[in-house]
Amino acid sequence: MYICYLLFTELSPNFNKSWLRFIVSRYTVILLSAWGLVVFLIGMSPYGVNKLVMMNGIDGSNFLFPIGGKGSGFYFSMLIIMFICLFFCFLLSAKIEDKQMKSYTRQFLVATTLGYTIGFLNVFPQSKLLGSSLAVIVFATSIFITIIRIHQKKIKSMNDEIKKHQEFLRTTIDMNPSLIYAINEKKEFTLVNKAFAQLYKKVPKELEGHSVEILYDEKEEQKLYEINEMNEQCVPEEITLNKNGNKIWLQSVKIPIEAYNDEKIILGVSTDITERKKQEEEMKYLAFHDTLTGLPNRRKFNIDLIEFTENAKTHNKHFAVFFLDLDRFKYINDTMSHATGDTLLSLVAYQLETCSEENEDFLVYRIGGDEFTIILPNSRAIEAELFALKILKKFKEPLTIKGNPLFITPSIGISIFPEDGENAETLMKNADTAMYFVKEKGKNGYKLFQSDMKETFYRKMMIEKGLRKAIDAEEFTLVYQPQLDLKNNVVIGAEALLRWNSEEFGMVPPSEFIPVAEEVGLINQIGEWVLLTACKQCKEWNIEGRDPIKIAVNISMKQFLEGDFVYKVSRILDETQLNPTYLELEITEKIAMTNHEKVIEIIESLKSLGVRIAIDDFGTGYSSLNYLGKIPIDVLKIDRSLVKNISLNNKNATIVQSIISVTKKLQIDVIAVGIETKEELQYLKNMDCYTGQGYFISKPKEHPFS
């Protein structure tokens, strides 16, 4: 019954008849098996034994047998069922597709049937049990042969299955794009896939069973495929050279495995991460380099400066830090386009990188805008100064952009380790401080840091801090210097001058705090306060019943070029109700010559309001009479440098006379500034200069009429 059930299990997908499924179902097998158990138990019970019948053999011997007894029906039913099952199994075997398995099964069924047939003869007394021994031999032999054949078949089937699995696994491994390999303790490849072999322009068979040394290159320092003493899984990043000599980055997972023969094997799975590494290197480059010039950036400079500082401390060395700022770069960038500015910065970077052939180990950085830094190793003050002179020499010649020569100069501040600082932050700050001193002294030069600069720099910082609260604290005041009609000896105007009486510093001269205000962006706020206060005062004087006088207010470049400057002037005039003809705005020659078209546009807008425009300090800047006819101004103020000792200086006298003559023809009023002596006043009168101001006439004061 069990054989019948096994056959059905193997062949069940090929059967569709429900009755056949029922016959060979597990329930039928269980039922028949239970019946066999009942027969066995009855036969072995006292009831079965007592029902045995004494039979007489041919040789005269007697034996007990169930035939003829009341319990013999159990035994005959079992024999009938057995023969039916054998016949049914024979029919089932016809459905087996495997010819060899079909032959084994039928031989077993025939032998089993024959054995049971011979054994059945024993139920007749005449057989005298002679067939029993033959039946046992036939039955045992058939079972033995069948088991052997089935075992062989199973082994072959298992081997074929294993082979299929091996081929499947091999195909899977070869199709895997990762580099897969296994190495034994003899440093031999026991497994490599196609991807791994192709990396070295080989096939797997050329590597498997061979030593890993066949892949080594003399140039390759790192041996990737050695086992060493690795007891745990690791995931290293490694470098190898392929057969083309190209460097390949691999990320490998290496796992130690104990083989079936206790041999240690390293299984490696590597992924080619060369492209990722290239991207990482590119990102790293971008993170530490300036995209415009290709120079290392501020982040890289900070890292390198810290490393230089630590190394210099350890080895007792000196080095210099240079801080460079380009002079007038913003002017060039704003007037000639940002593209020109970018090209100029690239050229400056090249000039700095090639400024010295002797000092090949210096490092140049662009830390932002038009600011550059340099680290000069193994240098003290003398070497640093010589290097600074080489830089300045590089910028004596113009830099040509699209055929146009452009002059650009650097202001250079220098600090020396360890004299000027023992850490990166202090060195950088002191070099920056020295650079600002160069800017204030006229630019285009260099300066070594000095300790007294700290005090000056500190005062500048404190002045900036004080300026931010000076307006709210009402520390600003205005004084007025009268402008005199020299012909009639009558005050016709006054120039408003700003004074700062600081609670902390006392009286701070304008020459000190005005540049700071411009630098830190406070000049617009302060200038607006000056303009509003001066207009209010002028309106009050006019209300007092005095003869109307004009008020002159100085305007800084940043204030004048601010986008809403004209609007602010209009708003202040409306707020103070001052007649615009009494307001005179003074701008410098530098403003007049900066962004020429924009300046003319602003001046014309102001004049449309009724405001007068004056050029202050004429003669100190461009000193060109040519632009007077192009810019719509009302007043020209001759600088004190031309007025001083004019009666004794024929050259200055000639210049002043020329200015007066030209302005008269252009219908521009002239004011001589800085009159300090009676002789100067008289000389100007004789030259038909009818308006002047200066200490000889009156010092600046709160009430110009007193």
Side-chain angles (χ1 to χ4, degrees), residues 228 371 403 541 547 592 632:
N228 299 325
E371 296 178 338
W541 289 335
D547 293 335

Side-chain angles (χ1 to χ4, degrees), residues 497-694:
L497 300 173
L498 180 63
R499 295 292 183 263
W500 179 25
N501 186 10
S502 171
E503 181 179 350
E504 182 175 359
F505 302 108
M507 292 299 299
V508 183
S511 60
E512 184 176 7
F513 72 80
I514 292 295
V516 176
E518 290 182 339
E519 183 180 331
V520 300
L522 293 173
I523 193 64
N524 291 338
Q525 183 182 1
I526 295 173
E528 187 174 348
W529 179 88
V530 171
L531 184 59
L532 176 62
T533 305
C535 288
K536 283 182 178 180
Q537 183 62 69
C538 186
K539 181 66 176 177
E540 289 179 6
W541 289 335
N542 293 342
I543 292 175
E544 290 175 0
R546 299 180 182 276
D547 293 335
I549 65 170
K550 59 183 176 63
I551 190 75
V553 179
N554 289 283
I555 305 298
S556 73
M557 179 184 290
K558 288 187 177 181
Q559 187 180 3
F560 184 81
L561 296 177
E562 189 181 15
D564 60 348
F565 176 67
V566 176
Y567 167 76
K568 287 182 178 180
V569 173
S570 176
R571 178 177 55 79
I572 289 173
L573 288 172
D574 290 341
E575 182 179 341
T576 59
Q577 294 296 305
L578 178 67
N579 188 330
T581 58
Y582 296 143
L583 175 61
E584 186 175 286
L585 300 179
E586 296 184 358
I587 61 175
T588 63
E589 274 190 280
K590 187 176 181 180
I591 296 176
M593 294 301 293
T594 299
N595 204 346
H596 190 72
E597 294 181 0
K598 185 176 181 180
V599 169
I600 293 177
E601 180 183 348
I602 295 173
I603 290 176
E604 288 178 344
S605 297
L606 291 170
K607 288 179 69 64
S608 67
L609 297 176
V611 176
R612 291 166 56 85
I613 304 297
I615 297 293
D616 192 18
D617 299 334
F618 186 83
T620 60
Y622 298 90
S623 299
S624 173
L625 297 175
N626 182 47
Y627 72 82
L628 294 179
K630 299 178 181 179
I631 300 177
I633 62 173
D634 301 289
V635 181
L636 189 148
K637 301 183 73 173
I638 301 174
D639 186 67
R640 62 176 298 175
S641 62
L642 296 176
V643 173
K644 187 176 183 180
N645 297 323
I646 190 172
S647 60
L648 304 175
N649 191 323
N650 292 332
K651 183 178 179 180
N652 285 355
T654 302
I655 294 173
V656 171
Q657 185 65 66
S658 299
I659 293 173
I660 293 172
S661 299
V662 171
T663 53
K664 279 186 177 181
K665 291 180 180 180
L666 295 175
Q667 295 183 344
I668 297 175
D669 294 337
V670 175
I671 300 177
V673 178
I675 301 174
E676 297 182 353
T677 65
K678 181 179 180 180
E679 290 76 18
E680 293 171 353
L681 177 63
Q682 188 60 47
Y683 200 86
L684 289 167
K685 278 186 178 182
N686 296 337
M687 298 176 74
D688 294 332
C689 179
Y690 298 130
T691 310
Q693 72 180 80

Side-chain angles (χ1 to χ4, degrees), residues 159-387:
N159 288 336
D160 291 343
E161 193 69 23
I162 291 172
K163 185 177 181 180
K164 288 181 182 179
H165 281 294
Q166 287 178 334
E167 291 176 352
F168 174 76
L169 290 174
R170 183 74 204 201
T171 302
T172 303
I173 292 173
D174 283 338
M175 290 179 64
N176 196 310
S178 298
L179 311 177
I180 301 174
Y181 59 90
I183 304 170
N184 60 20
E185 291 182 314
K186 297 178 182 178
K187 299 182 182 179
E188 296 173 341
F189 287 113
T190 59
L191 169 70
V192 297
N193 70 342
K194 286 185 179 180
F196 182 90
Q198 287 173 356
L199 181 66
Y200 299 95
K201 291 187 176 180
K202 294 181 181 294
V203 296
K205 290 183 179 180
E206 293 181 273
L207 296 177
E208 291 176 346
H210 293 81
S211 172
V212 297
E213 294 182 359
I214 66 173
L215 299 182
Y216 289 170
D217 190 292
E218 292 180 358
K219 299 178 182 178
E220 186 182 2
E221 298 178 359
Q222 187 177 10
K223 310 303 184 186
L224 291 181
Y225 313 114
E226 292 184 0
I227 289 184
N228 299 325
E229 293 297 327
M230 193 179 75
N231 297 315
E232 296 181 356
Q233 176 178 328
C234 62
V235 188
E237 288 186 356
E238 305 171 310
I239 302 175
T240 185
L241 298 177
N242 63 13
K243 282 304 179 182
N244 294 327
N246 298 324
K247 184 169 72 172
I248 304 296
W249 275 93
L250 301 176
Q251 186 170 55
S252 304
V253 178
K254 295 185 177 182
I255 307 172
I257 299 174
E258 293 291 340
Y260 65 91
N261 56 357
D262 295 331
E263 183 181 23
K264 184 177 181 181
I265 293 177
I266 298 298
L267 176 63
V269 180
S270 300
T271 303
D272 188 342
I273 58 171
T274 305
E275 287 302 317
R276 191 190 82 188
K277 278 294 182 180
K278 288 181 179 178
Q279 293 177 359
E280 288 178 356
E281 289 295 323
E282 184 177 354
M283 291 177 65
K284 183 178 179 181
Y285 178 86
L286 293 176
F288 291 100
H289 287 79
D290 172 48
T291 55
L292 176 63
T293 63
L295 293 176
N297 59 14
R298 179 184 291 273
R299 181 184 298 178
K300 180 62 173 171
F301 170 72
N302 291 335
I303 293 173
D304 288 352
L305 186 57
I306 292 173
E307 290 181 357
F308 264 90
T309 304
E310 296 301 322
N311 182 65
K313 288 179 181 178
T314 304
H315 299 91
N316 194 25
K317 292 183 178 181
H318 292 71
F319 67 91
V321 177
F322 292 68
F323 191 103
L324 294 84
D325 185 271
L326 301 181
D327 305 327
R328 297 178 62 248
F329 173 77
K330 188 178 186 306
Y331 170 75
I332 295 174
N333 198 48
D334 291 343
T335 56
M336 301 192 68
S337 82
H338 292 286
T340 300
D342 289 346
T343 303
L344 182 60
L345 289 172
S346 297
L347 292 175
V348 168
Y350 175 76
Q351 294 291 85
L352 293 176
E353 287 184 297
T354 59
C355 67
S356 176
E357 296 180 357
E358 296 83 2
N359 306 84
E360 295 182 353
D361 54 349
F362 67 93
L363 302 173
V364 183
Y365 307 81
R366 182 191 176 207
I367 61 173
D370 60 341
E371 296 178 338
F372 297 81
T373 54
I374 296 176
I375 298 177
L376 186 64
N378 304 317
S379 299
R380 296 176 183 266
I382 295 177
E383 292 85 0
E385 288 191 79
L386 292 174
F387 191 82

Side-chain angles (χ1 to χ4, degrees), residues 46-62:
Y47 172 80
V49 174
N50 293 333
K51 295 299 181 179
L52 293 176
V53 177
M54 182 65 69
M55 304 294 292
N56 296 319
I58 297 175
D59 58 354
S61 61
N62 299 325

